Amino acid sequence: MEPMEVKEVLLPGVGLRYEFDNRDGARIGVIARRSGDFEVVVYAADDPDQARPVFRLTDEEADALAQILGAPRMVERFADLTKEVPGLDAGQVAVGAASPFVDRALGETRARTRTGASIVAIVRDDDVLASPGPQEVLRAHDVLVVIGTEEGIGRVRHIVDQG
């Protein structure tokens, strides 16, 4: 898949505008305002300078949308990567209610240090927390997305289950 070209334009006093053409030929813009808000616009085909606002997002709403749109794609890309790199696998590790790490920070598992495998996302209910930091608190029924060797993923599973 060829990378999409995204044009970045400085809007003095306003922020940044990101633009790209979608598959249907429409020009889409995202204005990242200095205030932290975002505005999604579509440009008229007959006048590329005329933008029609579609919707506005607060910083928190934009983060939620980015998680919805970006995290599942990130997990897919990791899965694709594992097909291309011999010995690299992607796995899922469920955090059971009896895990010693429920309500404790991810960093306390020391999973990467102990196994060489990386936890690249946490699936929690309908949310995906991409690239969780060591301070992220694990909850019962979280599912960890782990990248590493088959052995490393198994060792992460053992750590999460038994400590």
Side-chain angles (χ1 to χ4, degrees), residues 38-67:
F38 295 84
E39 185 173 359
V40 177
V41 299
V42 176
Y43 294 93
D46 57 343
D47 184 358
D49 294 325
Q50 180 66 33
R52 180 176 52 86
V54 178
F55 57 86
R56 282 186 97 136
L57 299 170
T58 65
D59 190 35
E60 294 82 14
E61 293 164 342
D63 284 345
L65 184 59
Q67 279 191 344

Side-chain angles (χ1 to χ4, degrees), residues 82-97:
T82 64
K83 293 175 189 168
E84 297 173 19
V85 179
L88 187 63
D89 288 314
Q92 296 183 3
V93 174
V95 179

Side-chain angles (χ1 to χ4, degrees), residues 68-89:
I68 291 166
L69 296 176
R73 299 267 307 145
M74 182 186 77
V75 172
E76 284 176 21
R77 288 184 183 142
F78 278 123
D80 290 344
L81 177 64
T82 64
K83 293 175 189 168
E84 297 173 19
V85 179
L88 187 63
D89 288 314

